[in-house]
Amino acid sequence: MSASTPAPWEAVDPVLVNPRAVRLVEAFKDALARMRDEHGLTFDDLNTVTTLLEQLRDATGVPLSLVAMPLFSEVFQGGQDGYTPSDDVVSPTYVPGSPLISNPGVLPMRPDEPGIPLVTSGRVLDGHGAPLAGAELVIYHASNDGMYSGIWDDGQPRYNLRARQLTDADGCYAFTTVTPAPYPGVQGEGLDDVARAVAAIGRSTYRPAHIHYEIHHPELVSSFRGEVYFAGDPVIPVDFVGPKLAAPSLQATVVRHEAPEDVAAHGFDGPFNTAVFDFVVRTRTSPATAVHPQETV
């Protein structure tokens, strides 16, 4: 090898160096060092975490990057200053291509779909409190037994409890489904270690009941992705994904209706629930701090 020719380990092309990547790696290592010094973090601790994530990946078939969501989902949850908190990650339970339903409409479901009927409605508003017409909502949730259609071969039609809907001229949406229920977020064989790890940090292996939403519109700064929960759900404080994910601003109030005249007026055979939830999303013309409708003069 010529004296003027650099060895392979010396041949770093400056053009390929990404300064941001360098900073992030160094910051990550510094954070680990602080955890080591201040909290006693050990290599065995890191190895335990990676082993548990690999067990979850093998049991669920979900990519490792998405299995790790419980570790970082709260960190990357945006939405402040009056806007509805949005996630920066796509849920592993998302399935593309769900059908478009009318507004108001009914989510696709089986004739004998288990669960209490739920009539959900609300508005999509911009930061000025004005309605966002023509916004596309992608809506989906688990069945009563905690299973998502289109992911596991559990007998559900591919788009069961999944749909898209467009907001009307007043930014309103409305659909009927069944009331979601809490479900075990850690399912499958060989996950005893995962369940013990969840218990060790004071969390439950269950996820609180929720409905997934995506909102798309040309005027949005970025698409909304998130989950709407239900106030009073006892699983929220011990959610293994993270109780901060179900912030009060992401909790809808459920009202039970049992009066015979209400039941008959909605065409149900028995009691049903209603839930109202408004989304406040940031558009290209939205202010830094959202103005809610009740604050608009």
Side-chain angles (χ1 to χ4, degrees), residues 183-187 194-196 198-199 203-207 238 240:
Y183 63 85
V186 177
Q187 305 181 60
V194 175
R196 281 192 288 269
V198 171
R203 302 284 182 87
S204 168
T205 56
Y206 273 73
R207 294 232 56 219
V238 292
F240 90 100

Side-chain angles (χ1 to χ4, degrees), residues 96-110:
S98 55
L100 184 67
I101 60 173
S102 59
N103 183 6
V106 180
L107 261 59
M109 65 181 78
R110 296 163 289 189

Side-chain angles (χ1 to χ4, degrees), residues 1-11:
M1 180 179 296
S2 170
S4 61
T5 302
W9 53 86
E10 298 175 326

